[in-house]
Amino acid sequence: MLDKQKKKELATNYKQTFRAMGVYQIRNTQNDKILVNGSMDLDGMKNRLEFCKQMNTNTFNELQKDWATFGGQSFVFEVLDRIEPRDEIILDAAELKSYRAEVDALLELWLEKLEPYEDKGYNKRKR
């Protein structure tokens, strides 16, 4: 059993660890429609999809109709682009905000490139 000091150290180390950030797609293997999105934690997002598939539940509202039709096993997670870590350790809100801006900019580029709307995807166009 871990003592309190060791737990605190582990939590601090985890918070300071760079998580893979970037843009991903969830692709329906039955009809090739895609949902394109950005994440500050790509591994966490992949785990979320895998958990949904294992539990036969869906927390991705955009996929709801096709999830019910084809089942969760018809969806795959694919990383489209990653942000490389800077030298510094992420410690404060300003640094996280800077990374978030990079993820958002990358997402816009991928949305322009793939146009995952209507028959091609699950994304909704911005008005």
Side-chain angles (χ1 to χ4, degrees):
M1 196 154 140
L2 296 174
D3 64 8
K4 288 181 182 182
Q5 182 62 32
K6 184 66 175 170
K7 284 182 183 179
K8 188 174 181 178
E9 278 179 37
L10 290 171
T12 300
N13 287 343
Y14 177 76
K15 289 177 185 176
Q16 293 177 347
T17 302
F18 184 85
R19 286 173 209 53
M21 302 174 190
V23 177
Y24 67 92
Q25 70 181 10
I26 297 176
R27 184 173 51 85
N28 183 331
T29 60
Q30 300 297 311
N31 61 15
D32 281 328
K33 286 178 73 172
I34 57 176
L35 172 68
V36 178
N37 209 343
S39 178
M40 297 292 286
D41 184 355
L42 291 171
D43 294 332
M45 192 54 63
K46 181 179 182 180
N47 288 341
R48 177 180 167 194
L49 178 65
E50 292 305 315
F51 179 78
C52 287
K53 288 162 65 170
Q54 288 176 10
M55 300 306 293
N56 197 26
T57 62
N58 175 29
T59 59
F60 300 91
N61 293 332
E62 303 89 346
L63 309 177
Q64 192 62 51
K65 183 179 175 190
D66 282 353
W67 189 283
T69 301
F70 300 112
Q73 297 307 315
S74 295
F75 293 88
V76 294
F77 182 91
E78 299 166 331
V79 174
L80 299 174
D81 215 337
R82 290 179 184 267
I83 292 176
E84 294 300 318
R86 298 182 198 114
D87 291 335
E88 80 273 2
I89 295 174
I90 300 172
L91 293 175
D92 63 23
E95 290 166 326
L96 285 174
K97 188 175 181 180
S98 173
Y99 276 112
R100 177 81 252 175
E102 285 185 56
V103 169
D104 291 344
L106 269 180
L107 176 58
E108 289 304 314
L109 291 172
W110 279 99
L111 289 172
E112 273 183 41
K113 179 178 181 175
L114 298 175
E115 298 183 346
Y117 311 108
E118 290 91 34
D119 293 340
K120 291 172 63 177
Y122 301 102
N123 291 78
K124 303 287 184 225
R125 290 187 190 274
K126 290 184 181 176
R127 297 175 187 199

Coordinates of all heavy atoms in Angstrom, one line a residue, residues 35-83:
L35 N -15.6 11.1 -37.7 CA -15.8 12.2 -36.7 C -14.4 12.7 -36.5 O -13.5 12.0 -36.0 CB -16.4 11.8 -35.4 CG -16.4 12.8 -34.3 CD1 -17.4 14.0 -34.7 CD2 -16.8 12.2 -33.0
V36 N -14.1 14.0 -36.8 CA -12.8 14.6 -36.6 C -12.8 15.5 -35.4 O -13.7 16.4 -35.3 CB -12.3 15.3 -37.8 CG1 -10.9 16.0 -37.6 CG2 -12.3 14.4 -39.0
N37 N -11.8 15.4 -34.5 CA -11.8 16.2 -33.3 C -10.4 16.4 -32.8 O -9.5 15.6 -33.2 CB -12.7 15.6 -32.2 CG -13.3 16.7 -31.3 OD1 -12.8 17.8 -31.3 ND2 -14.4 16.3 -30.6
G38 N -10.2 17.3 -31.9 CA -8.9 17.5 -31.2 C -9.0 17.1 -29.8 O -10.1 17.1 -29.2
S39 N -7.8 16.8 -29.2 CA -7.8 16.4 -27.8 C -6.5 16.8 -27.2 O -5.4 16.7 -27.8 CB -8.0 14.9 -27.7 OG -7.9 14.5 -26.3
M40 N -6.6 17.1 -25.9 CA -5.4 17.4 -25.1 C -4.8 16.1 -24.5 O -3.8 16.1 -23.9 CB -5.8 18.4 -24.0 CG -6.2 19.7 -24.4 SD -4.9 20.7 -25.2 CE -4.0 21.2 -23.8
D41 N -5.5 15.0 -24.8 CA -5.1 13.7 -24.3 C -5.5 12.6 -25.3 O -6.6 12.0 -25.1 CB -5.6 13.4 -22.9 CG -5.1 12.2 -22.3 OD1 -4.4 11.4 -22.9 OD2 -5.5 11.9 -21.1
L42 N -4.8 12.4 -26.3 CA -5.1 11.4 -27.4 C -5.3 10.0 -26.8 O -6.2 9.3 -27.2 CB -4.1 11.4 -28.5 CG -4.1 12.7 -29.4 CD1 -2.9 12.6 -30.3 CD2 -5.4 12.8 -30.2
D43 N -4.4 9.6 -25.9 CA -4.5 8.3 -25.3 C -5.8 8.1 -24.5 O -6.4 7.1 -24.6 CB -3.3 8.0 -24.5 CG -2.0 7.9 -25.3 OD1 -2.1 7.5 -26.5 OD2 -0.9 8.2 -24.7
G44 N -6.1 9.2 -23.8 CA -7.3 9.1 -23.0 C -8.6 9.0 -23.9 O -9.5 8.3 -23.6
M45 N -8.6 9.7 -25.0 CA -9.7 9.7 -25.9 C -9.8 8.3 -26.6 O -10.9 7.7 -26.7 CB -9.5 10.7 -27.0 CG -10.8 10.9 -27.8 SD -12.3 11.3 -26.9 CE -11.9 12.8 -26.1
K46 N -8.7 7.7 -26.9 CA -8.7 6.3 -27.5 C -9.2 5.3 -26.4 O -10.0 4.5 -26.7 CB -7.3 5.9 -27.9 CG -7.2 4.5 -28.5 CD -5.8 4.2 -28.9 CE -5.8 2.8 -29.5 NZ -4.5 2.4 -30.0
N47 N -8.8 5.5 -25.2 CA -9.3 4.6 -24.1 C -10.8 4.8 -23.9 O -11.5 3.8 -23.6 CB -8.6 4.9 -22.8 CG -7.1 4.4 -22.8 OD1 -6.7 3.6 -23.6 ND2 -6.3 5.0 -21.9
R48 N -11.3 6.0 -24.0 CA -12.7 6.3 -23.9 C -13.5 5.5 -25.0 O -14.5 4.9 -24.7 CB -13.0 7.8 -24.1 CG -14.4 8.1 -24.0 CD -14.6 9.6 -24.2 NE -16.0 10.0 -24.5 CZ -16.4 11.1 -24.9 NH1 -15.5 12.1 -25.1 NH2 -17.7 11.3 -25.1
L49 N -13.0 5.5 -26.2 CA -13.7 4.8 -27.3 C -13.6 3.3 -27.0 O -14.6 2.6 -27.1 CB -13.1 5.1 -28.7 CG -13.7 4.3 -29.8 CD1 -15.2 4.7 -30.0 CD2 -12.9 4.5 -31.1
E50 N -12.5 2.8 -26.6 CA -12.4 1.4 -26.3 C -13.3 0.9 -25.2 O -13.9 -0.1 -25.2 CB -10.9 1.0 -26.0 CG -10.0 1.1 -27.2 CD -10.5 0.3 -28.4 OE1 -10.9 -0.9 -28.2 OE2 -10.5 0.8 -29.5
F51 N -13.4 1.8 -24.1 CA -14.3 1.5 -23.0 C -15.7 1.4 -23.5 O -16.5 0.5 -23.1 CB -14.1 2.5 -21.9 CG -15.0 2.3 -20.7 CD1 -14.7 1.4 -19.8 CD2 -16.1 3.1 -20.6 CE1 -15.5 1.1 -18.7 CE2 -17.0 2.9 -19.5 CZ -16.6 1.9 -18.5
C52 N -16.1 2.4 -24.3 CA -17.5 2.4 -24.8 C -17.8 1.2 -25.6 O -18.8 0.6 -25.5 CB -17.7 3.7 -25.7 SG -17.8 5.2 -24.9
K53 N -16.8 0.7 -26.4 CA -17.0 -0.5 -27.2 C -17.1 -1.7 -26.3 O -18.0 -2.6 -26.5 CB -15.8 -0.7 -28.2 CG -15.9 0.3 -29.3 CD -14.6 0.5 -30.0 CE -14.0 -0.7 -30.8 NZ -12.9 -0.4 -31.7
Q54 N -16.3 -1.8 -25.2 CA -16.4 -2.9 -24.3 C -17.7 -3.0 -23.5 O -18.2 -4.0 -23.3 CB -15.2 -2.9 -23.3 CG -13.9 -3.2 -23.9 CD -12.7 -3.0 -22.9 OE1 -13.0 -2.8 -21.7 NE2 -11.5 -3.1 -23.4
M55 N -18.2 -1.8 -23.2 CA -19.4 -1.7 -22.4 C -20.6 -1.6 -23.2 O -21.8 -1.6 -22.7 CB -19.3 -0.5 -21.4 CG -18.2 -0.5 -20.5 SD -18.1 -1.9 -19.5 CE -19.5 -1.8 -18.4
N56 N -20.4 -1.6 -24.5 CA -21.5 -1.5 -25.5 C -22.4 -0.3 -25.2 O -23.6 -0.3 -25.2 CB -22.4 -2.8 -25.5 CG -23.2 -2.8 -26.8 OD1 -22.9 -2.2 -27.8 ND2 -24.3 -3.5 -26.7
T57 N -21.7 0.8 -24.9 CA -22.4 2.1 -24.7 C -21.8 3.2 -25.6 O -20.7 2.9 -26.1 CB -22.3 2.6 -23.2 OG1 -20.9 2.8 -22.9 CG2 -22.9 1.6 -22.2
N58 N -22.4 4.3 -25.7 CA -21.8 5.3 -26.6 C -22.0 6.7 -25.9 O -23.1 7.1 -25.5 CB -22.5 5.4 -27.9 CG -22.1 6.5 -28.8 OD1 -20.9 6.9 -28.7 ND2 -22.9 7.0 -29.6
T59 N -20.9 7.4 -25.7 CA -20.9 8.7 -25.1 C -20.6 9.7 -26.2 O -20.5 10.9 -25.9 CB -19.9 8.8 -24.0 OG1 -18.6 8.6 -24.4 CG2 -20.2 7.9 -22.8
F60 N -20.4 9.3 -27.4 CA -20.2 10.2 -28.6 C -21.5 10.5 -29.2 O -22.0 9.7 -30.1 CB -19.2 9.6 -29.6 CG -17.8 9.3 -29.0 CD1 -17.6 8.0 -28.4 CD2 -16.8 10.2 -29.0 CE1 -16.3 7.7 -27.9 CE2 -15.6 10.0 -28.4 CZ -15.3 8.7 -27.9
N61 N -22.2 11.6 -28.9 CA -23.5 11.9 -29.4 C -23.6 11.9 -30.9 O -24.6 11.4 -31.5 CB -24.0 13.2 -28.9 CG -24.2 13.2 -27.4 OD1 -24.5 12.1 -26.8 ND2 -24.0 14.3 -26.7
E62 N -22.6 12.4 -31.6 CA -22.6 12.4 -33.0 C -22.7 11.1 -33.7 O -23.2 10.9 -34.8 CB -21.3 13.1 -33.6 CG -21.1 14.5 -33.0 CD -20.3 14.5 -31.7 OE1 -20.1 13.5 -31.1 OE2 -19.8 15.6 -31.3
L63 N -22.2 10.1 -33.0 CA -22.2 8.7 -33.6 C -23.4 7.9 -33.2 O -23.5 6.7 -33.7 CB -20.9 7.9 -33.1 CG -19.6 8.6 -33.2 CD1 -18.5 7.8 -32.6 CD2 -19.3 8.9 -34.7
Q64 N -24.3 8.4 -32.4 CA -25.4 7.6 -31.8 C -26.2 6.8 -32.8 O -26.3 5.6 -32.6 CB -26.3 8.6 -31.1 CG -27.3 7.8 -30.2 CD -26.6 7.1 -29.1 OE1 -25.8 7.6 -28.4 NE2 -26.9 5.8 -29.0
K65 N -26.6 7.4 -33.9 CA -27.5 6.6 -34.9 C -26.7 5.4 -35.5 O -27.2 4.3 -35.5 CB -28.0 7.5 -35.9 CG -28.9 6.9 -36.9 CD -29.4 7.9 -38.0 CE -30.3 7.1 -39.0 NZ -30.6 8.0 -40.1
D66 N -25.5 5.7 -36.0 CA -24.8 4.6 -36.6 C -24.2 3.6 -35.6 O -24.1 2.4 -35.9 CB -23.6 5.2 -37.5 CG -24.1 5.7 -38.8 OD1 -25.3 5.5 -39.1 OD2 -23.3 6.3 -39.5
W67 N -24.0 4.1 -34.4 CA -23.5 3.2 -33.3 C -24.6 2.1 -33.1 O -24.4 1.0 -32.9 CB -23.2 4.0 -32.1 CG -22.6 3.2 -30.9 CD1 -23.2 2.3 -30.1 CD2 -21.2 3.2 -30.6 NE1 -22.3 1.8 -29.2 CE2 -21.1 2.3 -29.5 CE3 -20.1 3.9 -31.0 CZ2 -19.8 2.1 -28.8 CZ3 -18.9 3.7 -30.4 CH2 -18.8 2.8 -29.3
A68 N -25.9 2.6 -33.0 CA -27.0 1.7 -32.8 C -27.2 0.8 -34.0 O -27.5 -0.4 -33.8 CB -28.3 2.5 -32.6
T69 N -26.9 1.3 -35.2 CA -27.1 0.4 -36.4 C -26.0 -0.6 -36.6 O -26.3 -1.8 -36.8 CB -27.2 1.3 -37.6 OG1 -28.2 2.3 -37.5 CG2 -27.4 0.5 -38.9
F70 N -24.8 -0.1 -36.5 CA -23.6 -1.0 -36.8 C -22.9 -1.6 -35.6 O -22.2 -2.6 -35.7 CB -22.6 -0.2 -37.6 CG -23.1 0.3 -38.9 CD1 -23.3 1.7 -39.1 CD2 -23.5 -0.5 -39.9 CE1 -23.7 2.2 -40.3 CE2 -24.0 -0.1 -41.1 CZ -24.1 1.3 -41.3
G71 N -23.1 -1.0 -34.4 CA -22.4 -1.5 -33.2 C -21.1 -0.8 -33.0 O -20.5 -0.3 -34.0
G72 N -20.6 -0.8 -31.8 CA -19.4 -0.1 -31.4 C -18.2 -0.7 -32.1 O -17.2 0.0 -32.4
Q73 N -18.2 -2.0 -32.4 CA -17.0 -2.6 -33.0 C -16.7 -2.1 -34.4 O -15.7 -2.4 -35.0 CB -17.1 -4.1 -33.0 CG -17.2 -4.7 -31.6 CD -16.1 -4.3 -30.7 OE1 -14.9 -4.3 -31.1 NE2 -16.4 -3.9 -29.5
S74 N -17.7 -1.4 -35.0 CA -17.5 -0.8 -36.3 C -16.7 0.5 -36.3 O -16.5 1.1 -37.4 CB -18.9 -0.6 -37.0 OG -19.5 -1.8 -37.2
F75 N -16.3 1.0 -35.2 CA -15.6 2.3 -35.1 C -14.2 2.1 -34.7 O -13.9 1.3 -33.7 CB -16.4 3.2 -34.1 CG -17.7 3.6 -34.6 CD1 -18.8 2.8 -34.3 CD2 -17.9 4.7 -35.3 CE1 -20.1 3.1 -34.8 CE2 -19.2 5.1 -35.8 CZ -20.3 4.3 -35.5
V76 N -13.3 2.8 -35.3 CA -11.9 2.7 -35.0 C -11.3 4.1 -34.7 O -11.8 5.1 -35.3 CB -11.0 2.0 -36.1 CG1 -11.4 0.6 -36.2 CG2 -11.2 2.8 -37.4
F77 N -10.3 4.2 -33.9 CA -9.7 5.5 -33.5 C -8.4 5.6 -34.3 O -7.6 4.7 -34.3 CB -9.4 5.4 -32.0 CG -8.7 6.7 -31.4 CD1 -9.5 7.7 -31.0 CD2 -7.4 6.8 -31.4 CE1 -9.0 8.9 -30.4 CE2 -6.8 8.0 -30.9 CZ -7.6 9.0 -30.4
E78 N -8.2 6.7 -34.9 CA -7.0 7.0 -35.7 C -6.5 8.4 -35.4 O -7.2 9.3 -35.6 CB -7.3 6.8 -37.2 CG -7.8 5.4 -37.5 CD -8.4 5.2 -38.9 OE1 -9.0 6.2 -39.4 OE2 -8.4 4.1 -39.4
V79 N -5.2 8.4 -35.1 CA -4.5 9.7 -34.9 C -4.2 10.3 -36.2 O -3.6 9.7 -37.1 CB -3.3 9.6 -34.0 CG1 -2.5 10.9 -33.9 CG2 -3.7 9.1 -32.6
L80 N -4.6 11.6 -36.4 CA -4.2 12.3 -37.7 C -3.0 13.2 -37.6 O -2.2 13.3 -38.5 CB -5.4 13.1 -38.1 CG -6.7 12.4 -38.4 CD1 -7.9 13.4 -38.7 CD2 -6.5 11.4 -39.6
D81 N -2.8 13.8 -36.4 CA -1.7 14.7 -36.2 C -1.4 14.8 -34.7 O -2.4 14.8 -33.9 CB -2.1 16.1 -36.8 CG -0.9 16.8 -37.4 OD1 0.2 16.5 -37.1 OD2 -1.2 17.7 -38.3
R82 N -0.1 15.0 -34.4 CA 0.3 15.1 -33.0 C 1.0 16.5 -32.8 O 1.7 16.9 -33.7 CB 1.2 14.0 -32.5 CG 0.6 12.7 -32.4 CD 1.6 11.6 -32.0 NE 1.0 10.3 -32.0 CZ 0.5 9.8 -30.9 NH1 0.5 10.4 -29.7 NH2 0.0 8.6 -30.9
I83 N 0.9 17.0 -31.6 CA 1.7 18.2 -31.3 C 2.9 17.7 -30.5 O 2.8 16.9 -29.6 CB 0.9 19.1 -30.4 CG1 -0.2 19.7 -31.3 CG2 1.8 20.2 -29.8 CD1 -1.2 20.6 -30.5

